[in-house]
Amino acid sequence: MSPATIRDVAKHAGVGVGTVSRVLNDSPSVREVTRQRVRQAIADLDYSPSPTARRLSLGKTLTIAAIVPFFTRPSYVERLRGVEMIIADSQYDLILFNVETPEMRDQYFRDVPRRDRVDGLMIMSLSPTDEDVDRFLRSGVPTVLIDAHHPRLSRATVDDVAGGRLATQHLIDLGHRRIGYVSDALKNPFHFVSSHNRYTGYRQALEEAGLPFQADYHQQGEHGLHQAREMALALLRMPEAPTAIFAASDTQAMGVLEAARTLGLSVPQDLSVVGYDDIEIAEYLGLTTMHQRLFESGQEAVRLLLNAIDDPSA
């Protein structure tokens, strides 16, 4: 038996094809009694509209793109969970573009924002240049940033400077005066700014407490648990080692905990550790961490984007 067509639905409901199309597109111009009759016909015939035809009728791709660096990292996964929760209740499909090199970032920034490809674009943790933003705006594709910054684009962000200051202040309040900081490289080809902003907050808290900043107490390098372990070992093997370490992410904080175990140090008796992000595993590790509204920031970004798609002039 052949699948039902839109004409079959129209005949079954006793209406025109145009009325069925308006019901499928949620047009408010259809009377409620007629709408219910069409929906019943759709159910009776198990009709499924062609995605291609639906896109053509709406003049949209019904697709949203997200450009995300290293999207298997826990904090990105949590943000994407928030994105997906809102997308799942919409008419849009989500396409992910994973960025692992600066060249891939530049390619996606150039090729993805096209009206024949996507209706909206989200960019996570990759702050675009003025030239990039000019291109996005010329494309006419609404664009929203998550954990990234540009004054001409809507964004869902947190105050990482304040977060870094609060994390460091917590350690100062515990009585620590030698506090290390383990982070991603502050200057990096992806222009990530979160580690740098948290570093700024770290420096501010030390200054406000009258504590001298010691450059050798800051270890920076490639993101990862094992890399953070090596950086923490370098700190903890110093003649006058830090008694506390603030890590710019929970993943790096786990590396610090590994280093402490390697050296036979007990946490928090011998060493205090604070992470950042509050990913799910932090609770099971008993890790003190700065809570970030990762899930909620993903949700907020999608809401901003859907509003921009529905009302480009807003």
Side-chain angles (χ1 to χ4, degrees):
M1 184 176 178
S2 300
T5 68
I6 192 170
R7 288 179 174 79
D8 295 329
V9 173
K11 183 178 180 180
H12 190 79
V15 298
V17 170
T19 299
V20 177
S21 179
R22 285 190 289 275
V23 171
L24 291 172
N25 293 328
D26 293 323
S27 170
S29 65
V30 182
R31 291 189 305 161
E32 186 58 29
V33 63
T34 304
R35 187 186 306 276
Q36 293 302 325
R37 195 161 72 245
V38 171
R39 287 176 175 168
Q40 186 60 52
I42 289 171
D44 291 344
L45 299 177
D46 195 22
Y47 171 67
S48 179
S50 162
T52 301
R54 178 162 169 75
R55 290 181 172 99
L56 288 172
S57 70
L58 292 173
K60 293 183 177 181
T61 67
L62 296 183
T63 300
I64 287 173
I67 299 176
V68 186
F70 310 106
F71 64 51
T72 56
R73 290 182 182 178
S75 61
Y76 296 145
V77 170
E78 188 64 11
R79 280 197 172 96
L80 286 171
R81 283 186 60 244
V83 168
E84 176 59 25
M85 170 166 277
I86 302 299
I87 292 286
D89 290 332
S90 76
Q91 60 184 332
Y92 292 91
D93 293 323
L94 176 66
I95 300 178
L96 296 180
F97 293 89
N98 182 32
V99 173
E100 295 189 349
T101 66
E103 292 75 21
M104 291 174 69
R105 174 201 58 201
D106 294 343
Q107 177 187 341
Y108 291 149
F109 278 11
R110 183 176 59 252
D111 296 343
V112 174
R114 289 175 17 198
R115 293 304 297 264
D116 62 344
R117 190 169 190 178
V118 296
D119 295 323
L121 174 64
M122 286 178 291
I123 300 174
M124 191 178 296
S125 299
L126 299 166
S127 294
T129 64
D130 290 342
E131 183 181 355
D132 293 326
V133 174
D134 287 341
R135 188 183 306 113
F136 299 157
L137 296 177
R138 285 196 305 270
S139 75
V141 174
T143 302
V144 171
L145 305 178
I146 311 175
D147 187 39
H149 302 265
H150 196 281
R152 287 191 286 162
L153 295 178
S154 297
R155 54 197 181 273
T157 61
V158 297
D159 188 343
D160 280 316
V161 174
R165 188 169 59 248
L166 287 170
T168 308
Q169 186 61 51
H170 172 72
L171 295 171
I172 293 170
D173 291 342
L174 290 176
H176 295 285
R177 295 297 178 264
R178 302 197 305 272
I179 302 170
Y181 179 56
V182 170
S183 74
D184 295 358
L186 300 189
K187 294 183 178 179
N188 60 81
F190 293 97
H191 307 298
F192 295 145
V193 297
S194 59
S195 283
H196 189 283
N197 290 342
R198 293 164 197 174
Y199 169 78
T200 298
Y202 161 75
R203 293 283 303 267
Q204 287 179 357
L206 293 178
E207 182 178 354
E208 290 167 5
L211 299 176
F213 167 70
Q214 294 184 233
D216 53 357
Y217 278 3
H218 176 213
Q219 291 285 316
Q220 55 182 310
E222 186 179 347
H223 185 91
L225 186 153
H226 299 297
Q227 293 87 340
R229 175 182 178 274
E230 294 306 309
M231 289 188 278
L233 284 173
L235 287 173
L236 296 173
R237 284 170 172 158
M238 294 174 63
E240 194 171 31
T243 60
I245 294 178
F246 167 35
S249 72
D250 288 345
T251 296
Q252 290 164 317
M254 287 188 281
V256 175
L257 295 177
E258 285 284 344
R261 278 192 287 270
T262 298
L263 298 178
L265 299 176
S266 177
V267 176
Q269 288 79 9
D270 301 319
L271 176 72
S272 292
V273 179
V274 172
Y276 204 107
D277 287 335
D278 195 16
I279 61 175
E280 185 175 2
I281 197 173
E283 180 180 357
Y284 298 101
L285 294 175
L287 174 66
T288 298
T289 181
M290 285 296 301
H291 175 67
Q292 245 201 117
R293 296 171 66 85
L294 299 169
F295 185 86
E296 293 85 351
S297 69
Q299 291 182 307
E300 178 62 19
V302 178
R303 293 189 183 106
L304 286 171
L305 187 58
L306 292 177
N307 287 338
I309 292 171
D310 291 339
D311 185 5
S313 64

